[in-house]
Amino acid sequence: MQNAIEVWATGLGAMTPLGVDLPTTWAAMQSGENGIGALEESWAEALPVRIAARLTADPAAAMPRTEARKLDRSEQMALVTAREAWADAGSPRPDPERLAVVIGTGIGGVTSLLVQNHVLETSGPRRVSPHAVPMLMANGPAAWVSMDLGAQAGAHAPVSACASGAEAIALGLDLIRSGRADIVVAGGVEASVHPLPLTAFAQMMALSTQNDDPAHACRPFDTKRGGFVLGEGAALVVLERADHARARGIASPHGTVLGAGISSSATHITASDVAGQVRAMRMSLRDADVAAERIGHVHAHATSTPQGDVAEARAIAEAIGTHPVVNATKSMTGHLLGASGALGAIAALLALRDGRVPPVRNLEELDPDVELDVVRGAPRTGSWECALANSFGFGGHNVSLVLGRP
């Protein structure tokens, strides 16, 4: 049953391997650009995987040095992106006790943890940073953004692997519906391009090893896909009660968040589960009070793994049908882990708003087991009422969001 409270997306922000902010990222998605490249650092020479999707700009450059040095890279991205989204929303001035923050992450300040451990082992305990604990905390991005905006209605940090960013938006929706907040800054961040995460994912045989051709390494739904590409980035949305936004003069948002569905597969720590994904999608439709036939576009989780892409394709066909226009922006950005679900939701919102769904990059031969209308070559133009964005994570975390046109 649909909740009577309407929730708008009044502000958007992103920092990705495609752009320093959301407008440049969205323009690059429309053009099918590539954000994946070779790792040039000396530490990467001996790794089995030497490609990744790095940011186009250093987030530390967008803030004073005294501020940046106290923050993990993921926290820097969170602040830069939150400030962009807040400005995009018109820099509202809500009651601090009615403003909340929900920022998810897959593995938090892992690079700070590993770097400081290296300092301890090579230089001794006196050289470890006094800021190490706040830098490595998974709740650090949410905490810093809450302080920056003065949010006193809660600072939450869901950690649900690659579903974290989408689950943050779902929780933000619940906070507004329950009456605990009027505005919630929600989304995800991740900064884990480091030898250990790269090696660990490679040991699982989850990553693409196409080191000689990084631009074509990530190819969701393609017959030649061989694994995902690790990326970094941040994506945040300002969620707001529609009546609250109207009262401060907002006439038209970027879009609406109509519903969310969350399920846990409880089957395998890393394998995709069609049944769990179907449950999440159907729950989101029920929560939004939207029939599957009204979903015109699906932003797929689609990481470019051999098993995962086919499992999701089957789940979409079962839960939604084969009629929606489907895309997967990880083909351009790589896999942003905890930030990926939030970026996917934003991409789906913008596709509805602008009537343009970006193509899947590198899709040359569609896997015959993927019986969906996947966009390739050029953006698909049209007018769609509703979209669904999927996000799935290790541990059996399944999140689906239903989004509406402005």
Side-chain angles (χ1 to χ4, degrees):
M1 180 177 179
Q2 187 177 26
N3 194 291
I5 296 175
E6 187 178 6
V7 178
W8 284 2
T10 55
L12 303 174
M15 195 171 201
T16 75
L18 292 178
V20 68
D21 55 17
L22 183 60
T24 54
T25 295
W26 181 236
M29 285 182 176
Q30 293 293 325
S31 301
E33 295 181 17
N34 170 56
I36 298 168
L39 292 170
E40 304 294 344
E41 293 89 344
S42 58
W43 54 254
E45 294 176 359
L47 299 184
V49 172
R50 298 181 297 279
I51 57 175
R54 308 295 280 277
L55 294 179
T56 60
D58 185 358
M63 58 183 64
R65 185 174 180 273
T66 53
E67 181 181 35
R69 65 188 296 269
K70 299 185 295 184
L71 305 172
D72 178 74
R73 186 173 174 87
S74 66
E75 296 169 342
Q76 295 170 356
M77 288 191 290
L79 281 173
V80 172
T81 304
R83 290 165 183 169
E84 179 194 358
W86 197 248
D88 185 48
S91 300
R93 296 182 178 180
D95 177 351
E97 295 184 4
R98 303 290 300 167
L99 171 62
V101 172
V102 189
I103 299 179
T105 180
I107 44 182
V110 62
T111 53
S112 290
L113 173 64
L114 294 169
V115 166
Q116 291 303 312
N117 182 69
H118 178 72
V119 171
L120 174 64
E121 292 181 343
T122 57
S123 303
R126 294 180 62 85
R127 301 300 297 175
V128 172
S129 170
H131 305 296
V133 171
M135 291 169 72
L136 63 86
M137 299 188 311
N139 64 307
W144 282 112
V145 171
S146 74
M147 289 185 283
D148 196 55
L149 298 177
Q152 298 177 15
H156 304 273
V159 179
S160 307
C162 307
S164 300
E167 189 164 320
I169 294 175
L171 178 54
L173 178 65
D174 285 345
L175 288 173
I176 293 175
R177 285 175 167 179
S178 68
R180 290 177 54 193
D182 296 320
I183 301 180
V184 180
V185 178
V189 298
E190 204 74 78
S192 57
V193 179
H194 179 280
L196 181 58
L198 279 163
T199 300
F201 279 122
Q203 288 293 91
M204 295 177 65
M205 301 182 70
L207 296 183
S208 169
T209 58
Q210 201 166 327
N211 296 315
D212 57 339
D213 188 11
H216 297 89
C218 193
R219 44 199 321 126
F221 300 127
D222 190 86
T223 55
K224 296 180 181 178
R225 66 190 183 279
F228 73 83
V229 176
L230 185 63
E232 61 178 357
L236 298 173
V237 55
V238 177
L239 303 175
E240 187 169 358
R241 282 178 60 111
D243 57 350
H244 186 276
R246 291 190 190 98
R248 63 182 186 88
I250 301 297
S252 179
H254 293 289
T256 59
V257 181
L258 300 173
I262 300 175
S263 75
S264 50
S265 294
T267 54
H268 191 278
I269 196 67
T270 57
S272 299
D273 172 47
V274 173
Q277 295 174 10
V278 168
R279 285 199 306 275
M281 284 184 260
R282 286 177 173 168
M283 288 169 64
S284 69
L285 294 174
R286 288 196 299 270
D287 186 49
D289 195 21
V290 169
E293 292 74 22
R294 291 174 59 194
I295 300 295
H297 164 48
V298 173
H299 184 283
H301 179 67
T303 61
S304 188
T305 59
Q307 292 79 25
D309 288 9
V310 169
E312 183 180 10
R314 290 172 177 164
I316 292 170
E318 182 176 342
I320 308 297
T322 58
H323 63 277
V325 174
V326 178
N327 81 330
T329 55
K330 289 183 182 68
S331 59
M332 295 174 265
T333 66
H335 194 350
L336 308 188
L337 304 184
S340 63
L343 184 61
I346 288 175
L349 280 168
L350 295 180
L352 292 177
R353 186 196 68 182
D354 297 348
R356 289 172 61 87
V357 174
V360 177
R361 181 181 169 84
N362 300 324
L363 180 51
E364 297 171 359
E365 184 178 353
L366 185 67
D367 188 315
D369 290 329
V370 177
E371 298 177 350
L372 300 173
D373 182 11
V374 183
V375 182
R376 64 177 106 178
R380 184 78 59 84
T381 59
S383 179
W384 303 281
E385 181 184 7
C386 300
L388 183 139
N390 281 331
S391 190
F392 311 127
F394 284 173
H397 304 280
N398 308 304
V399 181
S400 296
L401 302 170
V402 176
L403 310 160
R405 195 169 53 197

Short mmCIF file of all heavy atoms in Angstrom, two decimals, residues 2-49:
data_model
loop_
_atom_site.label_atom_id
_atom_site.label_comp_id
_atom_site.label_asym_id
_atom_site.label_seq_id
_atom_site.Cartn_x
_atom_site.Cartn_y
_atom_site.Cartn_z
N GLN A 2 0.56 2.20 -0.84
CA GLN A 2 1.38 3.38 -0.99
C GLN A 2 1.26 4.29 0.23
O GLN A 2 0.19 4.51 0.76
CB GLN A 2 0.97 4.16 -2.24
CG GLN A 2 1.89 5.33 -2.56
CD GLN A 2 1.49 6.02 -3.84
OE1 GLN A 2 0.35 5.97 -4.23
NE2 GLN A 2 2.44 6.64 -4.50
N ASN A 3 2.40 4.79 0.71
CA ASN A 3 2.42 5.72 1.82
C ASN A 3 1.89 7.06 1.36
O ASN A 3 2.17 7.52 0.25
CB ASN A 3 3.85 5.85 2.35
CG ASN A 3 3.89 6.52 3.70
OD1 ASN A 3 3.62 7.71 3.82
ND2 ASN A 3 4.25 5.75 4.72
N ALA A 4 1.13 7.74 2.23
CA ALA A 4 0.51 9.01 1.85
C ALA A 4 1.53 10.14 1.72
O ALA A 4 1.24 11.16 1.09
CB ALA A 4 -0.56 9.38 2.87
N ILE A 5 2.69 9.98 2.32
CA ILE A 5 3.71 11.04 2.28
C ILE A 5 4.51 10.93 0.99
O ILE A 5 5.10 9.89 0.69
CB ILE A 5 4.64 10.94 3.50
CG1 ILE A 5 3.85 11.20 4.78
CG2 ILE A 5 5.79 11.93 3.38
CD1 ILE A 5 4.65 11.00 6.05
N GLU A 6 4.53 12.00 0.22
CA GLU A 6 5.29 12.04 -1.03
C GLU A 6 6.71 12.51 -0.75
O GLU A 6 6.91 13.51 -0.05
CB GLU A 6 4.60 12.97 -2.03
CG GLU A 6 5.22 12.94 -3.42
CD GLU A 6 4.48 13.86 -4.40
OE1 GLU A 6 3.58 14.58 -3.97
OE2 GLU A 6 4.83 13.82 -5.59
N VAL A 7 7.69 11.79 -1.28
CA VAL A 7 9.10 12.12 -1.04
C VAL A 7 9.77 12.49 -2.36
O VAL A 7 9.78 11.70 -3.31
CB VAL A 7 9.83 10.94 -0.38
CG1 VAL A 7 11.30 11.27 -0.18
CG2 VAL A 7 9.17 10.60 0.96
N TRP A 8 10.32 13.68 -2.38
CA TRP A 8 10.98 14.20 -3.58
C TRP A 8 12.50 14.08 -3.46
O TRP A 8 13.05 14.08 -2.36
CB TRP A 8 10.64 15.67 -3.78
CG TRP A 8 9.27 15.95 -4.32
CD1 TRP A 8 8.30 15.04 -4.62
CD2 TRP A 8 8.73 17.23 -4.62
NE1 TRP A 8 7.19 15.68 -5.10
CE2 TRP A 8 7.41 17.03 -5.10
CE3 TRP A 8 9.21 18.54 -4.51
CZ2 TRP A 8 6.59 18.08 -5.50
CZ3 TRP A 8 8.39 19.59 -4.90
CH2 TRP A 8 7.09 19.37 -5.39
N ALA A 9 13.16 14.01 -4.61
CA ALA A 9 14.61 14.17 -4.70
C ALA A 9 14.87 15.60 -5.14
O ALA A 9 14.72 15.92 -6.32
CB ALA A 9 15.21 13.18 -5.69
N THR A 10 15.22 16.47 -4.19
CA THR A 10 15.36 17.89 -4.51
C THR A 10 16.80 18.30 -4.79
O THR A 10 17.05 19.39 -5.30
CB THR A 10 14.80 18.76 -3.37
OG1 THR A 10 15.42 18.41 -2.13
CG2 THR A 10 13.29 18.56 -3.24
N GLY A 11 17.76 17.45 -4.42
CA GLY A 11 19.16 17.77 -4.68
C GLY A 11 19.95 16.52 -4.99
O GLY A 11 19.71 15.46 -4.40
N LEU A 12 20.90 16.62 -5.92
CA LEU A 12 21.71 15.47 -6.32
C LEU A 12 23.18 15.87 -6.39
O LEU A 12 23.51 17.01 -6.75
CB LEU A 12 21.29 14.96 -7.70
CG LEU A 12 19.82 14.53 -7.88
CD1 LEU A 12 19.57 14.20 -9.34
CD2 LEU A 12 19.48 13.35 -6.99
N GLY A 13 24.05 14.93 -6.05
CA GLY A 13 25.48 15.17 -6.14
C GLY A 13 26.22 13.89 -6.42
O GLY A 13 25.79 12.81 -6.02
N ALA A 14 27.35 13.99 -7.11
CA ALA A 14 28.15 12.80 -7.39
C ALA A 14 29.58 13.19 -7.70
O ALA A 14 29.85 14.28 -8.22
CB ALA A 14 27.57 12.01 -8.56
N MET A 15 30.49 12.28 -7.37
CA MET A 15 31.91 12.41 -7.73
C MET A 15 32.32 11.02 -8.17
O MET A 15 32.29 10.07 -7.39
CB MET A 15 32.71 12.88 -6.52
CG MET A 15 34.09 13.38 -6.84
SD MET A 15 34.87 14.16 -5.39
CE MET A 15 36.12 15.16 -6.24
N THR A 16 32.68 10.87 -9.45
CA THR A 16 32.84 9.55 -10.03
C THR A 16 34.05 9.48 -10.97
O THR A 16 34.69 10.49 -11.27
CB THR A 16 31.59 9.16 -10.85
OG1 THR A 16 31.61 9.89 -12.09
CG2 THR A 16 30.30 9.47 -10.09
N PRO A 17 34.36 8.29 -11.47
CA PRO A 17 35.41 8.17 -12.48
C PRO A 17 35.07 8.82 -13.82
O PRO A 17 35.92 8.88 -14.71
CB PRO A 17 35.57 6.65 -12.64
CG PRO A 17 35.10 6.08 -11.35
CD PRO A 17 33.96 6.95 -10.95
N LEU A 18 33.84 9.31 -13.95
CA LEU A 18 33.42 9.99 -15.18
C LEU A 18 33.40 11.50 -15.05
O LEU A 18 33.33 12.21 -16.06
CB LEU A 18 32.03 9.51 -15.60
CG LEU A 18 31.90 8.07 -16.07
CD1 LEU A 18 30.45 7.75 -16.39
CD2 LEU A 18 32.78 7.80 -17.29
N GLY A 19 33.40 12.01 -13.82
CA GLY A 19 33.29 13.46 -13.68
C GLY A 19 33.47 13.93 -12.26
O GLY A 19 33.25 13.19 -11.30
N VAL A 20 33.85 15.20 -12.13
CA VAL A 20 34.11 15.79 -10.83
C VAL A 20 32.82 16.11 -10.08
O VAL A 20 32.83 16.30 -8.87
CB VAL A 20 34.97 17.06 -10.99
CG1 VAL A 20 34.18 18.17 -11.69
CG2 VAL A 20 35.51 17.54 -9.66
N ASP A 21 31.69 16.14 -10.81
CA ASP A 21 30.41 16.42 -10.18
C ASP A 21 29.32 15.68 -10.96
O ASP A 21 29.61 14.93 -11.91
CB ASP A 21 30.13 17.93 -10.13
CG ASP A 21 30.22 18.60 -11.50
OD1 ASP A 21 30.17 17.89 -12.54
OD2 ASP A 21 30.34 19.83 -11.56
N LEU A 22 28.05 15.89 -10.57
CA LEU A 22 26.98 15.15 -11.23
C LEU A 22 26.75 15.58 -12.67
O LEU A 22 26.59 14.72 -13.55
CB LEU A 22 25.68 15.25 -10.43
CG LEU A 22 24.53 14.44 -11.02
CD1 LEU A 22 24.87 12.96 -11.09
CD2 LEU A 22 23.26 14.65 -10.22
N PRO A 23 26.71 16.88 -13.00
CA PRO A 23 26.49 17.26 -14.40
C PRO A 23 27.51 16.66 -15.37
O PRO A 23 27.14 16.17 -16.44
CB PRO A 23 26.56 18.79 -14.37
CG PRO A 23 26.12 19.15 -12.99
CD PRO A 23 26.69 18.07 -12.12
N THR A 24 28.79 16.67 -14.99
CA THR A 24 29.80 16.10 -15.89
C THR A 24 29.67 14.57 -15.95
O THR A 24 29.87 13.97 -17.01
CB THR A 24 31.21 16.48 -15.45
OG1 THR A 24 31.41 16.12 -14.07
CG2 THR A 24 31.45 17.97 -15.61
N THR A 25 29.32 13.96 -14.84
CA THR A 25 29.12 12.51 -14.82
C THR A 25 27.95 12.11 -15.71
O THR A 25 28.05 11.17 -16.51
CB THR A 25 28.86 12.02 -13.38
OG1 THR A 25 30.04 12.24 -12.60
CG2 THR A 25 28.51 10.54 -13.36
N TRP A 26 26.83 12.82 -15.59
CA TRP A 26 25.64 12.49 -16.38
C TRP A 26 25.90 12.72 -17.87
O TRP A 26 25.48 11.90 -18.71
CB TRP A 26 24.45 13.32 -15.90
CG TRP A 26 23.16 13.06 -16.62
CD1 TRP A 26 22.37 13.98 -17.25
CD2 TRP A 26 22.48 11.81 -16.76
NE1 TRP A 26 21.26 13.39 -17.78
CE2 TRP A 26 21.29 12.05 -17.49
CE3 TRP A 26 22.76 10.51 -16.34
CZ2 TRP A 26 20.40 11.03 -17.83
CZ3 TRP A 26 21.86 9.50 -16.67
CH2 TRP A 26 20.69 9.77 -17.40
N ALA A 27 26.60 13.79 -18.22
CA ALA A 27 26.93 14.03 -19.63
C ALA A 27 27.82 12.92 -20.18
O ALA A 27 27.64 12.46 -21.31
CB ALA A 27 27.63 15.38 -19.77
N ALA A 28 28.76 12.45 -19.36
CA ALA A 28 29.65 11.37 -19.80
C ALA A 28 28.89 10.06 -19.97
O ALA A 28 29.17 9.28 -20.88
CB ALA A 28 30.79 11.20 -18.80
N MET A 29 27.92 9.81 -19.08
CA MET A 29 27.09 8.61 -19.22
C MET A 29 26.31 8.64 -20.52
O MET A 29 26.18 7.61 -21.21
CB MET A 29 26.13 8.49 -18.04
CG MET A 29 26.75 8.04 -16.74
SD MET A 29 25.50 7.88 -15.43
CE MET A 29 26.49 7.21 -14.09
N GLN A 30 25.77 9.78 -20.87
CA GLN A 30 25.01 9.91 -22.10
C GLN A 30 25.88 9.64 -23.33
O GLN A 30 25.39 9.11 -24.34
CB GLN A 30 24.39 11.31 -22.20
CG GLN A 30 23.33 11.61 -21.17
CD GLN A 30 22.08 10.77 -21.37
OE1 GLN A 30 21.69 10.47 -22.48
NE2 GLN A 30 21.45 10.38 -20.28
N SER A 31 27.16 9.97 -23.22
CA SER A 31 28.08 9.79 -24.35
C SER A 31 28.71 8.41 -24.36
O SER A 31 29.47 8.08 -25.28
CB SER A 31 29.19 10.85 -24.30
OG SER A 31 28.63 12.15 -24.36
N GLY A 32 28.45 7.61 -23.31
CA GLY A 32 29.05 6.28 -23.23
C GLY A 32 30.54 6.31 -23.02
O GLY A 32 31.28 5.46 -23.54
N GLU A 33 31.02 7.29 -22.23
CA GLU A 33 32.46 7.45 -22.04
C GLU A 33 33.02 6.40 -21.08
O GLU A 33 32.30 5.73 -20.35
CB GLU A 33 32.77 8.86 -21.55
CG GLU A 33 32.43 9.93 -22.58
CD GLU A 33 32.76 11.34 -22.10
OE1 GLU A 33 33.53 11.47 -21.13
OE2 GLU A 33 32.24 12.30 -22.69
N ASN A 34 34.34 6.30 -21.07
CA ASN A 34 35.04 5.31 -20.25
C ASN A 34 35.74 5.96 -19.07
O ASN A 34 36.43 6.97 -19.23
CB ASN A 34 36.09 4.57 -21.09
CG ASN A 34 36.99 3.70 -20.25
OD1 ASN A 34 36.52 2.85 -19.50
ND2 ASN A 34 38.29 3.94 -20.34
N GLY A 35 35.55 5.39 -17.87
CA GLY A 35 36.22 5.91 -16.69
C GLY A 35 37.24 4.94 -16.12
O GLY A 35 37.74 5.15 -15.01
N ILE A 36 37.57 3.89 -16.86
CA ILE A 36 38.47 2.84 -16.38
C ILE A 36 39.83 2.97 -17.05
O ILE A 36 39.92 3.19 -18.26
CB ILE A 36 37.86 1.46 -16.67
CG1 ILE A 36 36.53 1.30 -15.92
CG2 ILE A 36 38.83 0.34 -16.28
CD1 ILE A 36 35.71 0.10 -16.36
N GLY A 37 40.89 2.85 -16.26
CA GLY A 37 42.23 2.96 -16.82
C GLY A 37 43.23 2.07 -16.11
O GLY A 37 42.91 1.39 -15.14
N ALA A 38 44.46 2.10 -16.60
CA ALA A 38 45.54 1.31 -16.01
C ALA A 38 46.05 1.97 -14.75
O ALA A 38 46.07 3.20 -14.64
CB ALA A 38 46.66 1.15 -17.01
N LEU A 39 46.45 1.16 -13.78
CA LEU A 39 47.08 1.66 -12.56
C LEU A 39 48.56 1.85 -12.84
O LEU A 39 49.28 0.89 -13.15
CB LEU A 39 46.87 0.68 -11.42
CG LEU A 39 45.42 0.54 -10.93
CD1 LEU A 39 45.30 -0.65 -9.97
CD2 LEU A 39 44.95 1.82 -10.26
N GLU A 40 49.05 3.08 -12.71
CA GLU A 40 50.43 3.39 -13.06
C GLU A 40 51.38 3.32 -11.85
O GLU A 40 52.61 3.39 -12.02
CB GLU A 40 50.51 4.80 -13.67
CG GLU A 40 49.61 5.01 -14.88
CD GLU A 40 50.02 4.17 -16.08
OE1 GLU A 40 51.17 3.66 -16.07
OE2 GLU A 40 49.21 4.02 -17.01
N GLU A 41 50.84 3.18 -10.64
CA GLU A 41 51.69 3.16 -9.45
C GLU A 41 52.58 1.92 -9.44
O GLU A 41 52.22 0.86 -9.93
CB GLU A 41 50.82 3.17 -8.19
CG GLU A 41 50.05 4.45 -7.97
CD GLU A 41 48.69 4.44 -8.64
OE1 GLU A 41 48.45 3.57 -9.51
OE2 GLU A 41 47.85 5.30 -8.30
N SER A 42 53.75 2.06 -8.82
CA SER A 42 54.70 0.95 -8.77
C SER A 42 54.14 -0.23 -7.99
O SER A 42 54.46 -1.39 -8.30
CB SER A 42 56.02 1.41 -8.15
OG SER A 42 55.80 1.93 -6.83
N TRP A 43 53.28 0.04 -6.99
CA TRP A 43 52.73 -1.06 -6.19
C TRP A 43 51.82 -1.97 -6.99
O TRP A 43 51.53 -3.10 -6.57
CB TRP A 43 52.02 -0.56 -4.94
CG TRP A 43 50.93 0.47 -5.12
CD1 TRP A 43 51.01 1.80 -4.83
CD2 TRP A 43 49.59 0.26 -5.58
NE1 TRP A 43 49.83 2.45 -5.08
CE2 TRP A 43 48.93 1.52 -5.55
CE3 TRP A 43 48.87 -0.84 -6.03
CZ2 TRP A 43 47.60 1.69 -5.94
CZ3 TRP A 43 47.55 -0.67 -6.42
CH2 TRP A 43 46.92 0.57 -6.38
N ALA A 44 51.35 -1.49 -8.13
CA ALA A 44 50.42 -2.29 -8.93
C ALA A 44 51.13 -3.27 -9.87
O ALA A 44 50.49 -4.17 -10.42
CB ALA A 44 49.52 -1.37 -9.75
N GLU A 45 52.43 -3.11 -10.04
CA GLU A 45 53.15 -3.90 -11.04
C GLU A 45 53.05 -5.40 -10.81
O GLU A 45 52.98 -6.17 -11.76
CB GLU A 45 54.63 -3.46 -11.07
CG GLU A 45 54.82 -2.03 -11.57
CD GLU A 45 56.27 -1.60 -11.51
OE1 GLU A 45 57.12 -2.42 -11.05
OE2 GLU A 45 56.57 -0.45 -11.90
N ALA A 46 53.03 -5.82 -9.57
CA ALA A 46 53.03 -7.26 -9.28
C ALA A 46 51.63 -7.82 -9.05
O ALA A 46 51.49 -9.03 -8.82
CB ALA A 46 53.89 -7.53 -8.04
N LEU A 47 50.61 -7.00 -9.15
CA LEU A 47 49.25 -7.46 -8.89
C LEU A 47 48.68 -8.22 -10.09
O LEU A 47 49.01 -7.92 -11.24
CB LEU A 47 48.35 -6.27 -8.56
CG LEU A 47 48.69 -5.43 -7.34
CD1 LEU A 47 47.63 -4.35 -7.13
CD2 LEU A 47 48.82 -6.29 -6.09
N PRO A 48 47.79 -9.16 -9.85
CA PRO A 48 47.14 -9.87 -10.96
C PRO A 48 46.19 -8.98 -11.74
O PRO A 48 45.93 -9.21 -12.92
CB PRO A 48 46.39 -11.01 -10.27
CG PRO A 48 46.17 -10.53 -8.87
CD PRO A 48 47.37 -9.70 -8.54
N VAL A 49 45.64 -7.94 -11.07
CA VAL A 49 44.75 -6.98 -11.72
C VAL A 49 45.37 -5.59 -11.58
O VAL A 49 45.65 -5.13 -10.47
CB VAL A 49 43.34 -7.00 -11.09
CG1 VAL A 49 42.50 -5.86 -11.65
CG2 VAL A 49 42.67 -8.34 -11.36
#
